[in-house]
């Protein structure tokens, strides 16, 4: 199952709720960090293509410098995406394949619409919240309004995400209301995982 939503919509919170209830969550953000670990081939390629100034003194990626480099340069952004996305996808496939049989596996992927193929998922779940609610929650997390709006501007729109959604979770309320909405979907995802397990012939 692919779980997505714009920045500050609450998808990580939904992923956490699912993980607390026993689901296996694979995070695209986490994979994106691992793919450029010091010593990785992807990081070496980035440094070759964009220069050593993308590296911090300890050899790790200077994310702020990379962000600045690609912010206003769509061509550079595409080069970076071309380099990283297939590697992240391969890692995600590996993580899915190594999940225990019968587990409910959820892929938390902020850029599902922008960087993945919805057809790869049995179901796409989109978390939504009104813009002002998102901005207020992001402000609480220390991201100011202008920076948050700039990030939102770079992401797909609510309409684009909704067009791919099988399920929409409305996170305009409190955490309890969110958990209540997630529960029936989680039960259905679990049942499906178990049904698949039951159909899998024994080896
Ligand atoms: P990002 O794309 O930045 O990872 P996200 O969509 O994963 O964002 P979260 O990190 O889950 O969003 O939520 C953003 C912030 O809002 C977090 O600090 C989270 O604790 C808070 N939050 C999420 N849902 C609610 C809610 N229903 N009520 C109050 N706070 C919430």
């Amino acid at each position: 199952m692919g779980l997505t939503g714009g920045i500050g919509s609450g998808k990580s919170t939904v992923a956490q709720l699912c993980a607390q209830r026993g689901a296996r969550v694979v995070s695209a953000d986490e994979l994106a960090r691992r793919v450029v670990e010091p010593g990785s081939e992807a990081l070496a390629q980035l440094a070759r293509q964009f220069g050593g100034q993308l590296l911090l003194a300890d050899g790790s990626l200077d994310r702020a410098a990379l962000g600045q480099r690609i912010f206003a340069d769509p061509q550079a952004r595409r080069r970076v995406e071309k380099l990283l996305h297939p590697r992240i996808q391969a890692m995600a496939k590996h993580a899915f394949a190594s999940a225990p049989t019968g587990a409910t596996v959820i892929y938390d992927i902020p850029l599902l619409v922008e960087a993945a193929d919805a057809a790869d998922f049995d179901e796409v779940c989109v978390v939504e919240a009104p813009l002002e609610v998102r901005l207020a929650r992001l402000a609480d997390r220390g991201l100011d309004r202008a920076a948050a709006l700039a990030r939102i501007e770079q992401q797909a729109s609510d309409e684009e995400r909704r067009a791919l959604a099988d399920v929409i979770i409305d996170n305009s309320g409190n955490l309890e209301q969110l958990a209540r909405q997630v529960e029936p979907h989680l039960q259905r995802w679990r049942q499906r995982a178990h049904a698949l397990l039951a159909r899998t012939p024994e080896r």
Side-chain angles (χ1 to χ4, degrees):
M1 199 279 289
L3 173 66
T4 194
I7 177 172
S9 60
K11 73 196 150 305
S12 305
T13 307
V14 170
Q16 261 170 32
L17 284 168
C18 294
Q20 281 161 8
R21 309 273 287 109
R24 170 72 62 110
V25 175
V26 178
S27 156
D29 280 349
E30 165 78 33
L31 297 181
R33 277 190 290 274
R34 274 186 25 214
V35 85
V36 291
E37 267 172 359
S40 64
E41 188 230 331
L43 183 58
Q45 287 227 25
L46 275 180
R48 248 197 313 278
Q49 289 192 28
F50 295 96
Q53 65 271 27
L54 283 191
L55 299 181
L56 295 167
D58 65 358
S60 64
L61 177 63
D62 185 343
R63 291 182 172 276
L66 179 64
Q68 270 171 15
R69 178 71 184 76
I70 65 176
F71 186 73
D73 184 346
Q75 221 181 343
R77 174 181 292 273
R78 275 194 294 275
R79 272 164 61 204
V80 171
E81 287 172 355
K82 206 171 147 197
L83 182 70
L84 301 186
H85 287 170
R87 288 174 170 81
I88 295 170
Q89 225 165 3
M91 286 168 85
K93 286 200 169 133
H94 178 73
F96 269 65
S98 40
T101 324
T104 305
V105 189
I106 293 174
Y107 192 32
D108 172 1
I109 171 168
L111 301 183
L112 188 149
V113 173
E114 298 87 336
D117 186 351
D120 282 342
F121 301 98
D122 51 0
E123 196 169 314
V124 171
C125 174
V126 171
V127 184
E128 284 189 356
L131 180 64
E132 286 305 324
V133 173
R134 290 165 66 189
L135 290 170
R137 288 179 185 156
L138 290 170
D140 285 347
R141 218 169 63 181
L143 189 65
D144 73 54
R145 190 180 174 93
L149 282 170
R151 298 271 292 278
I152 287 172
E153 186 64 28
Q154 288 212 325
Q155 294 189 338
S157 64
D158 284 346
E159 289 69 30
E160 287 169 310
R161 275 187 292 270
R162 207 172 289 172
L164 295 180
D166 297 297
V167 168
I168 295 177
I169 294 196
D170 167 23
N171 186 22
S172 52
N174 60 29
L175 290 171
E176 208 183 300
Q177 289 166 320
L178 181 64
R180 263 207 302 275
Q181 269 184 86
V182 169
E183 185 58 31
H185 295 300
L186 189 54
Q187 280 187 21
R188 188 164 43 77
W189 298 328
R190 268 208 209 106
Q191 277 160 8
R192 190 169 48 212
H194 282 129
L196 273 175
L197 179 61
R199 283 210 302 273
T200 309
E202 276 182 41
R203 270 173 285 180

